[in-house]
Amino acid sequence: MKQPNKLRSLLFFLPVLLALWLGTSTQAQETPAAPGPAVSAPAPTAVPAPSAAPAAPKVDKGDNAWMLTSATLVLMMTIPGLFLFYGGLVRSKNVLGTIMHSFILVGVVTVQWVLWGYSVAFGPDVGGLFGSLAWVGLNGVGVEPNPDYAATIPHMTFMVYQMMFAIITPALITGAFAERAKFSTFLVFMILWTTIVYDPLAHWVWGVKGWMREMGALDFAGGTVVHISSGASALVAAIMFGRRIGYGQEAMPPHNLPYSVIGAGLLWVGWFGFNAGSALAADGLATSAFVATHVAAAAAALAWLAMDWLRGKPTMLGAASGAVAGLVAITPAAGFVSPLSALVIGIGGGVLCSIACSLKPKFGYDDSLDVVGVHGVGGTWGALATGLFASKAVNAAGNDGLFFGNPGQLWTQFVTVVVTIVFAMVVTAIILAILKATMGLRVADDEERMGLDLTQHNERAYE
């Protein structure tokens, strides 16, 4: 079949999809929000009516069980989800070194989070920029709820749930410099990046009195905090680490594509904890975010597959990458949009991320595992799409977007995106410049040719 015929077949369905979406959008505007608390994560529960006495914070066993399960699912996204996804995409001589990056970050960021990271991200506000050190060492973070963040689960449950986000975010960046980074430099970079970039940014968007939160930015589960920050930093890292030896001259195909597909499947399942868990309760909002997440992932997988087909053949790697792109795109919007809006967001994520990854060779940077194309582009689209499709009929604690009569929300999202990109890129560049001058960023050429498994860890994945 000729490519133009394929394209016409795909375009035939777009007017139908648009009509369906517009019809349900109008209904959503006319439908009042369901009664009961609706929250945007991480945010306090809805404030009771002035005539009602405020309910005392109390642990709900169902909510706590769901949030501990969600924390487990988010950890599964990093180990083994991300390390299998990334590990299968590199060459066999670097698979253990790539897996090691994700695995060891669980240890590194956990310790950082307990000692000071959580306090910087969510502690008592200092000028809207970061949290104070009042909660260093988890001082005062116990089993009683903190009503500022979640009134029905222990404060420590909220802390450990947010820890899993702090773990996976720097792990995403490792795909940009895979197969060439010195392990010692990697460790120092990740501690500094998490402390100086991730923790303050989390406070801006999610922390009580954080300046982006006060501005009205909507980020349900981490479009800006997780994906845009990691994607922007990945672009800087890919440029400053430089290309792999032989990049552009020799083939560097995935050494074990089934590993990557398994990893993508684990990411898909784990993402329900990532997004639906961000409701911070086992309630209707969690269900809404769960459905939006799944719909967007499915739509994006099909959209990327279609893009591959238009170029030649439908590929398994394209379908898997598309699913991840859809999950990235829906993350900031998951608790604010309807299922059909999620469908549109997913299709956009699959198409835009596929195009971005295909254009990478034209720009000449070596982002080994397409962190920029998937997380940077997908996160940016998702954050802006939240400003288009968000609806208070879905989440009364959120806001309406452009298509529901509030163009100001799109502007707020745009400002959030631009500031996040600039902040992440500038600080990452400074950190890497200092490390390059003091420790060096990448291994020697002969070590890179031999492979990082042997030269950095004295191990072989396959005998």
Side-chain angles (χ1 to χ4, degrees):
M1 184 180 293
K2 295 181 180 179
Q3 288 188 10
N5 290 333
K6 296 179 189 176
L7 185 58
R8 282 197 296 269
S9 298
L10 290 170
L11 293 177
F12 173 78
F13 293 100
L14 291 181
V16 178
L17 178 62
L18 183 60
L20 283 171
W21 180 81
L22 288 173
T24 56
S25 297
T26 303
Q27 290 178 350
Q29 282 184 296
E30 296 173 351
T31 304
V39 296
S40 56
T45 52
V47 179
S51 59
K58 182 181 179 181
V59 173
D60 181 284
K61 292 181 179 180
D63 289 348
N64 194 42
W66 166 238
M67 292 311 302
L68 291 174
T69 301
S70 294
T72 305
L73 288 170
V74 179
L75 177 61
M76 186 188 75
M77 291 171 65
T78 306
I79 55 171
L82 187 66
F83 80 50
L84 283 173
F85 187 62
Y86 278 0
L89 293 175
V90 297
R91 291 168 289 183
S92 59
K93 62 184 179 181
N94 296 312
V95 58
L96 288 178
T98 301
I99 288 174
M100 180 73 156
H101 285 165
S102 294
F103 194 92
I104 205 64
L105 275 174
V106 177
V108 170
V109 178
T110 294
V111 172
Q112 185 267 3
W113 195 248
V114 167
L115 293 181
W116 68 83
Y118 180 66
S119 192
V120 174
F122 290 97
D125 177 70
V126 179
L129 298 176
F130 49 83
S132 75
L133 300 181
W135 294 347
V136 163
L138 301 186
N139 176 51
V141 180
V143 296
E144 295 300 317
N146 181 320
D148 284 339
Y149 291 113
T152 62
I153 61 175
H155 190 183
M156 193 168 289
T157 298
F158 178 81
M159 179 280 301
V160 79
Y161 179 68
Q162 293 297 336
M163 176 193 291
M164 304 312 172
F165 284 69
I167 288 169
I168 196 171
T169 306
L172 295 173
I173 303 173
T174 64
F177 51 73
E179 302 194 297
R180 57 201 187 273
K182 290 175 64 176
F183 188 67
S184 56
T185 303
F186 153 78
L187 290 174
V188 177
F189 169 62
M190 287 305 176
I191 294 171
L192 293 174
W193 189 90
T194 303
T195 300
I196 304 174
V197 178
Y198 180 84
D199 294 345
L201 187 57
H203 187 80
W204 296 357
V205 177
W206 292 333
V208 172
K209 296 185 180 179
W211 75 269
M212 285 186 179
R213 174 170 169 162
E214 292 293 303
M215 184 175 66
L218 297 179
D219 187 358
F220 192 76
T224 50
V225 180
V226 177
H227 299 295
I228 296 178
S229 69
S230 61
S233 297
L235 178 58
V236 174
I239 293 170
M240 295 189 68
F241 272 86
R243 302 179 187 179
R244 289 167 289 177
I245 295 173
Y247 177 76
Q249 281 78 48
E250 62 183 72
M252 298 179 180
H255 91 281
N256 194 325
L257 192 52
Y259 272 14
S260 296
V261 177
I262 293 170
L266 290 169
L267 286 169
W268 192 332
V269 174
W271 225 289
F272 295 124
F274 201 86
N275 286 359
S278 290
L280 301 177
D283 59 8
L285 183 58
T287 299
S288 179
F290 191 109
V291 172
T293 298
H294 187 64
V295 168
L302 295 175
W304 194 311
L305 193 73
M307 295 296 290
D308 276 357
W309 212 334
L310 288 172
R311 300 184 188 111
K313 298 287 186 181
T315 68
M316 185 65 250
L317 179 57
S321 299
V324 175
L327 293 163
V328 169
I330 197 60
T331 291
F336 302 117
V337 300
S338 69
L340 275 182
S341 293
L343 185 68
V344 176
I345 293 172
I347 292 172
V351 171
L352 292 173
C353 292
S354 173
I355 293 172
C357 292
S358 70
L359 291 176
K360 179 180 68 174
K362 297 183 183 296
F363 291 101
Y365 64 89
D366 183 11
D367 172 15
S368 310
L369 307 181
D370 289 319
V371 185
V372 180
V374 174
H375 296 276
V377 173
T380 298
W381 158 242
L384 295 176
T386 304
L388 297 173
F389 297 103
S391 170
K392 293 179 74 173
V394 175
N395 185 346
N399 210 338
D400 288 325
L402 174 65
F403 293 147
F404 294 91
N406 180 24
Q409 189 61 48
L410 180 60
W411 173 251
T412 299
Q413 298 301 110
F414 175 77
V415 171
T416 302
V417 167
V418 172
V419 172
T420 301
I421 291 173
V422 172
F423 173 69
M425 292 184 74
V426 170
V427 178
T428 300
I430 293 172
I431 294 172
L432 288 177
I434 294 172
L435 292 178
K436 184 176 182 179
T438 55
M439 300 178 66
L441 297 181
R442 57 189 292 166
V443 298
D445 288 357
D446 58 337
E447 293 179 323
E448 184 178 340
R449 291 189 181 95
M450 188 179 299
L452 272 59
D453 290 2
L454 273 177
T455 61
Q456 297 294 291
H457 307 293
N458 197 30
E459 296 175 305
R460 289 183 186 272
Y462 309 104
E463 293 292 346

